[in-house]
Amino acid sequence: MHHPDPHSYYDSAQPKARRLRLKLGVDFTSKRIDGEVGLEFGGAVSGPLDLDTKGLEIHSVQVPGRGPIPWELGPSDTILGQRLRLDMPEGAQEVTITYTTAVDAMALQWLDPEQTEGKVAPYLFSQCQQIHARTMVPCQDTPLVRIAYKAEVNVPEGLTAVMSAGPTGDEALGNGRHVYRFAMPQPIPSYLLALAVGRLESRDLSPRARVWAEPETVAAAAWEFAGVEDMILKAEGLFGPYPWDRYDMLVLPPSFPYGGMENPRMTFLTPTLLAGDRSLVDVVAHELAHSWTGNLVTNASMEHFWLNEGFTVWAERRILRILHGDDAAALGWAMGQKALEDSLEQFKNEPRLTVLRMHLAGIDPDDAFSSIPYEKGARLVAALEREVGEERFLRFLRDYMDAFRFTSITTEQFCSFVAAKLPGALEAVNARAYLDKPGMPDTAPEFRSVQLDTLTVLAESWPDGGRPSAYQIASWKPTELLVFLQKLPRKLTHADCAWLDEHFQLMGRGNYEILVEWLTLAATADYEPAFPRIREVLLRVGRMKYLRPLYSALGLHPRTRALAREVFAAASPGYHGLSRRVVQGVLEKFLA
Ligand code: BES
Ligand code: ZN
C-alpha cells in the first residue's frame, strides 16, 4: 500500500484511470446531482481499486457487460472523506458508478435566484481545488492521476451549462430539460474538473476567447476583459503556444469564494473584478498563466502547491511587465509583499506552514492556504531568474515545460531538473532556505521603482502630517492608490479616516481591492461612518480574500465585534461553505 498524496486514498500500486465519462443530472429542487461516472483504464485491470469520495451516496458499481461488482465504503475521515474500494474482476477495462451528491457537497454551491444578478433563476457552480472533486465525483482525487473526460449535463430548460472542457453539442429533451455535452481531450488533474449552470450569455472577445456571464453583467464583463487576447499573445511569447485551444472565462455570482480559478478552457472569475476601469485584470493574467504553470505542469500534491502558484505569480507579473511596464510590475510585487507579510503574521505560530515544500499529512489543505506559496514561491523563481539572467531563464522555462508537459511533479523533481539545466543556481540563491526554512531568507530579491519609493515615503510620513498633494490625488492610478493605502500606518484616527474618504471618495469605489483595503482601515479605526458600507460588502461578496481581513479588523473593538456578529448571522447562509469556514475561524478568535 503506497499513498504518495497525503490528501488522497489513491494507491500508487493500483492502476490509474485515464478517462472519465460523466453523466450529471442537476436537480435544483433537492440541491443534488445524480451522477454516473465511467472510469476507463486504457487496458485490463484487476483487484482492489481505491477511489476518493466525500458525502457521496453510492447506488451501484458495475463493469459494463459483466454486471455489479463488490464495493465497500471505508470509515469517514473529516479531511479525506471515505475510501471507496472496488474489487475489479480480472480483465475489466472500465467501471461505472452511479451516485448522488450530498446537499452540503463542498465542491458545489447552489444559489437561490436572489443570490444572482438577474434574481430570476437558480445557479450552481463547482470549485474542486483543493480536494473537493470527491464531493462531486468518485475518483482518484489527486493530481498524480490525470484524466481526459467527456460529460453530459442534464439541466432545466432555459439554463446553460459550462465546464472546464470544450462544448460538443446540446439538445432540448422536450420534457423541460436540456442536455449539454462536453469533451476535455487533454489529461487534467481532478481538481480542474469544473461545472457551472445558470442563466448565461456569452460575448466573443477574439477568435479563441469568449466571456460568459449572466445577461445583466455580460456587457460589463466583455468590456473589462477585452484585452485578453493581447495577454494570451504575450503569454505565448514567454511560454510557447497556448496549449488548450480555447481560453474562455465565466464571471460568477459574488459568492464565488476566490478571485479566479484556472479551470482549463473556462477560467472562473469573481464579479468583483468588474471595476469598470480594467484595473483588476491582473487576476486574468494570473489564471491565464496557469494554463502553463499549473495546468500543463502540475503540482504532484498540495505539498508542492508553490510549484503551481509561485510560478504563476511570477508569470503573471512578467506578463504585466510586458503589457504595462516596469513600474506597474514593481507595484504588483509591492502588493504581493504586503500579502506575504500579512500571511507570515497570520502563521507566526505555525512556522511549518511558511515553508514552500510543505508536509501536510493530517492537515486540511484549505487550512494551509495563504499567500506564502504564492509570494515566497514567486520570489524564489525571481531569484533564480536574476541569478542566471532573463534570457537563459526563459530558455530554461521552455525546457521545463517541454520536459514535464501534462505531468504532475514534486519539488524534488523540479530541483533535480534545475540542478541539471542550471548547475549551481539553486545553491547560489540559497533555494533550501525558501523550500525548507520558515519565514523569508534575507537574500530574497527586492522590487523597487521610483514610484513605489515615493508612495512608501509619503505613506510612512502620514503620522508626521505628510499628505498626498492635490495633483497626486487627481493623477494616481488605482494600483498607486492601493499601494499607498496598504502602506499607511494601521492606526488611523477618525479625522484621518474622514480626510482619506473626502479626498479619495473611498466609500464609493467600485474597485474592491481599494474598497476593502479602505474598509479594513476604517474598521481597524472603529470609524462608524464606514459601517453601513462594510455591512453591504460582507452581505454581497463571498471572496475569502476580502472576508478574512474585514472580519479580522472588526474583531478589534466592542461595537465592531457586534457588527461582525450581526452581519455574519445575516450573510452566512449565502456564503460558500469554504468562506463560511474561514469566517467562523476568524470569529472564534474574538466572539467567545
Ligand atoms: N488556483 C487558485 C485558486 C485556489 C487556490 C483555489 C487554492 C482553491 C485552492 C487561483 O489561481 C488563484 O490563485 N486565485 C487568486 C488570484 C490571484 C493570486 C491573482 C485569488 O483567488 O485571489
Ligand atoms: Zn493561482
Side-chain angles (χ1 to χ4, degrees):
M1 203 167 42
H2 186 50
H3 298 296
D5 179 342
H7 297 119
S8 171
Y9 289 110
Y10 165 65
D11 184 333
S12 55
Q14 299 175 2
K16 293 180 181 179
R18 298 287 178 75
R19 313 178 59 83
L20 298 187
R21 281 179 279 107
L22 286 166
K23 282 189 192 163
L24 303 175
V26 176
D27 182 352
F28 280 100
T29 312
S30 66
K31 302 195 169 164
R32 293 177 193 268
I33 290 178
D34 278 311
E36 178 185 308
V37 60
L39 295 100
E40 302 175 4
F41 297 91
V45 303
S46 68
L49 183 85
D50 295 337
L51 303 178
D52 294 295
T53 75
K54 200 172 188 183
L56 298 180
E57 198 185 314
I58 305 294
H59 304 307
S60 71
V61 183
Q62 310 223 358
V63 169
R66 304 183 40 185
I69 63 163
W71 57 273
E72 177 192 40
L73 274 175
S76 180
D77 178 274
T78 45
I79 300 171
L80 301 186
Q82 284 174 288
R83 184 185 76 186
L84 173 60
R85 170 161 289 183
L86 314 184
D87 189 12
M88 298 291 289
E90 203 69 44
Q93 305 219 8
E94 56 182 289
V95 61
T96 304
I97 304 169
T98 60
Y99 63 95
T100 303
T101 59
V103 202
D104 60 353
M106 200 51 122
L108 303 175
Q109 191 178 11
W110 301 84
L111 300 178
D112 294 330
E114 307 75 63
Q115 290 173 274
T116 65
E117 208 59 55
K119 312 211 181 302
V120 296
Y123 199 108
L124 165 68
F125 69 82
S126 72
Q127 169 58 46
C128 287
Q129 200 181 15
Q130 301 284 9
I131 53 169
H132 307 302
R134 67 194 64 180
T135 68
M136 184 165 91
V137 184
C139 61
Q140 292 164 315
D141 193 10
T142 166
L144 286 165
V145 175
R146 305 180 72 101
I147 38 118
Y149 77 87
K150 282 193 176 157
E152 239 179 69
V153 187
N154 180 312
V155 306
E157 190 64 73
L159 300 188
T160 300
V162 297
M163 289 192 84
S164 55
T168 53
D170 68 280
E171 95 200 58
L173 297 179
N175 59 353
R177 307 285 300 182
H178 202 103
V179 168
Y180 289 85
R181 295 196 182 80
F182 303 91
M184 166 48 85
Q186 291 121 320
I188 60 163
S190 53
Y191 76 82
L192 293 177
L193 281 170
L195 167 69
V197 181
R199 218 172 114 256
L200 300 177
E201 262 185 31
S202 71
R203 295 280 184 281
D204 283 344
L205 305 174
S206 85
R208 59 175 159 177
R210 138 181 330 150
V211 64
W212 289 88
E214 286 185 69
E216 291 75 13
T217 42
V218 73
W223 186 86
E224 204 82 31
F225 306 129
V228 68
E229 179 61 32
D230 214 25
M231 282 187 182
I232 304 175
L233 291 168
K234 298 297 182 285
E236 287 186 312
L238 292 170
F239 308 126
Y242 177 70
W244 302 91
D245 188 23
R246 293 196 56 88
Y247 185 76
D248 294 339
M249 295 169 281
L250 171 68
V251 177
L252 287 116
S255 69
F256 186 60
Y258 290 98
M261 177 64 213
E262 66 272 26
N263 299 315
R265 296 177 188 230
M266 187 64 72
T267 282
F268 282 18
L269 298 168
T270 165
T272 61
L273 301 186
L274 303 178
D277 58 7
R278 298 183 180 152
S279 55
L280 299 176
V281 295
D282 55 329
V283 176
V284 175
H286 178 97
E287 305 314 333
L288 170 66
H290 271 307
S291 304
W292 290 266
T293 51
N295 298 1
L296 190 61
V297 181
T298 307
N299 55 208
S301 76
M302 303 324 146
E303 297 188 323
H304 311 279
F305 185 54
W306 81 274
L307 284 175
N308 275 18
E309 297 300 343
F311 263 93
T312 301
V313 167
W314 173 85
E316 159 205 337
R317 296 198 182 129
R318 202 67 178 65
I319 294 170
L320 290 183
R321 204 181 98 201
I322 300 173
L323 286 171
H324 304 303
D326 291 344
D327 270 358
L331 290 178
W333 285 102
M335 292 184 272
Q337 185 69 33
K338 169 77 164 47
L340 177 58
E341 284 160 15
D342 289 351
S343 289
L344 287 171
E345 172 64 23
Q346 184 194 335
F347 283 142
K348 62 171 185 283
N349 298 324
E350 287 198 86
R352 67 190 172 142
L353 298 182
T354 74
V355 299
L356 289 182
R357 200 304 186 196
M358 295 216 232
H359 298 275
L360 293 178
I363 298 179
D364 186 330
D366 288 324
D367 293 340
F369 180 81
S370 81
S371 291
I372 293 164
Y374 289 77
E375 297 295 339
K376 190 177 180 182
R379 278 158 181 76
L380 171 55
V381 177
L384 288 168
E385 180 188 28
R386 284 193 181 177
E387 175 60 28
V388 304
E390 280 183 17
E391 267 185 44
R392 188 158 164 230
F393 190 69
L394 264 189
R395 261 183 281 128
F396 160 80
L397 266 188
R398 297 264 192 138
D399 287 349
Y400 169 64
M401 288 179 197
D402 270 351
F404 296 113
R405 55 192 285 120
F406 295 113
T407 68
S408 304
I409 66 165
T410 62
T411 304
E412 293 71 36
Q413 281 171 288
F414 169 74
C415 287
S416 316
F417 192 77
V418 180
K421 298 283 173 178
L422 303 171
L426 290 171
E427 295 75 12
V429 304
N430 194 9
R432 297 259 63 100
Y434 293 82
L435 297 172
D436 301 324
K437 302 243 167 68
M440 279 305 286
D442 20 274
T443 53
E446 281 183 43
F447 301 87
R448 294 184 53 184
S449 76
V450 173
Q451 180 55 351
L452 178 54
D453 288 346
T454 309
L455 294 167
T456 309
V457 169
L458 183 55
E460 285 171 357
S461 74
W462 182 275
D464 311 320
R467 296 290 179 273
S469 68
Y471 173 75
Q472 287 171 313
I473 291 170
S475 66
W476 277 348
K477 296 195 193 76
T479 41
E480 293 170 310
L481 172 56
L482 177 59
V483 169
F484 174 75
L485 293 175
Q486 287 180 335
K487 293 201 173 269
L488 281 176
R490 294 296 94 181
K491 280 223 152 77
L492 296 177
T493 64
H494 291 183
D496 292 336
C497 291
W499 192 98
L500 285 168
D501 185 30
E502 186 193 326
H503 288 85
F504 288 107
Q505 302 296 310
L506 294 168
M507 227 61 104
R509 290 277 163 165
N511 176 314
Y512 269 79
E513 293 290 323
I514 292 174
L515 180 63
V516 170
E517 186 62 29
W518 152 246
L519 294 176
T520 305
L521 277 167
T524 307
D526 195 23
Y527 182 61
E528 195 174 10
F531 292 0
R533 195 76 176 105
I534 291 174
R535 179 181 286 114
E536 246 170 53
V537 169
L538 294 177
L539 280 168
R540 178 178 142 76
V541 176
R543 185 175 176 188
M544 293 187 282
K545 180 181 183 190
Y546 298 148
L547 298 184
R548 188 194 300 277
L550 265 178
Y551 276 104
S552 301
L554 291 176
L556 296 171
H557 310 278
R559 62 178 181 176
T560 52
R561 279 200 287 276
L563 178 64
R565 195 181 295 123
E566 171 217 315
V567 176
F568 181 64
S572 89
Y575 286 161
H576 190 283
L578 289 166
S579 308
R580 199 176 304 127
R581 245 184 98 231
V582 160
V583 178
Q584 266 158 353
V586 171
L587 295 187
E588 267 160 29
K589 289 196 189 122
F590 62 80
L591 299 182

